[in-house]
Amino acid sequence: MNWLLVGIGGMIGALLRYQVTRFINTRFDIQFPYPTLIINITGSFLLGWFTRDLHAYLPSLGSAPMLILGIGVCGAYTTFSTFSYEAVSLFREQREWTAIAYILISCIGGFAASAIGLYGLPAAR
C-alpha cells in the first residue's frame, strides 16, 4: 500500500513541477533557470515543513501523509528538497564535517556527472 501512496504523490509532484515550469516560462522571457530555482526552494521548504508538522496535524493517519506529500509530491517535484533536508539534518545532528562533505560531493559530483553525461559520452546516432 505504501508504494501506491508514494506513486500517487509522485504523480501529483511531477505534474506540479511541469505546471510551475510552464507557468513561469510562458509569462516571462528570462535567460536564467528561474523555474528550477523556484521549484527547488519551494520544494525544500515544503519537505522541511511536512517533516516537522504533518504528524502533529494528522496523527491518526500515521505515515500516509508523509508518504504522499513528503516522499511522493516533494520527491517528484524536486529531489533537491531531499538533499537540502538531509544536509540540514546532518548539521542539526552536529555532524558538520559530514554535512559539508555531503554538500560538496553532491554539488561537485552532480555537476561533473552532468558534464560527463552531456560531453563525455559518445552521442547517439
Side-chain angles (χ1 to χ4, degrees), residues 13-14 17 36 39-44 47 70-87 102 106 110:
R17 179 185 182 99
T36 302
I39 286 165
N40 285 339
I41 291 171
T42 57
S44 296
L47 185 59
I71 297 170
V73 172
C74 289
Y77 184 63
T78 173
T79 57
F80 186 80
S81 60
T82 304
F83 162 71
S84 300
Y85 172 76
E86 290 171 345
Y102 179 54
S106 294

Side-chain angles (χ1 to χ4, degrees), residues 6 8 12 14 24-25 29 39 46 51 53 55 58 61 70 80 83 94-95 99 102 110 125:
V6 171
I8 291 167
I12 294 166
I24 294 169
N25 284 337
D29 182 24
I39 286 165
L46 288 172
T51 300
D53 289 341
H55 186 69
L58 306 166
L61 297 180
F80 186 80
F83 162 71
Q94 298 179 339
R95 298 172 57 196
Y102 179 54
R125 297 188 191 267

Side-chain angles (χ1 to χ4, degrees), residues 17-116:
R17 179 185 182 99
Y18 172 76
Q19 286 300 106
V20 168
T21 300
R22 193 167 154 245
F23 176 83
I24 294 169
N25 284 337
T26 58
R27 283 162 180 75
F28 304 99
D29 182 24
I30 48 180
Q31 300 300 315
F32 187 83
Y34 283 111
T36 302
L37 179 65
I38 291 167
I39 286 165
N40 285 339
I41 291 171
T42 57
S44 296
F45 167 77
L46 288 172
L47 185 59
W49 181 48
F50 292 158
T51 300
R52 186 191 71 198
D53 289 341
L54 274 181
H55 186 69
Y57 288 129
L58 306 166
S60 63
L61 297 180
S63 64
M66 190 60 182
L67 290 170
I68 295 169
L69 297 172
I71 297 170
V73 172
C74 289
Y77 184 63
T78 173
T79 57
F80 186 80
S81 60
T82 304
F83 162 71
S84 300
Y85 172 76
E86 290 171 345
V88 169
S89 293
L90 288 169
F91 279 112
R92 286 181 60 198
E93 295 166 7
Q94 298 179 339
R95 298 172 57 196
E96 293 86 2
W97 289 111
T98 304
I100 291 167
Y102 179 54
I103 292 166
L104 290 174
I105 293 167
S106 294
C107 291
I108 294 168
F111 182 82
S114 292
I116 291 167

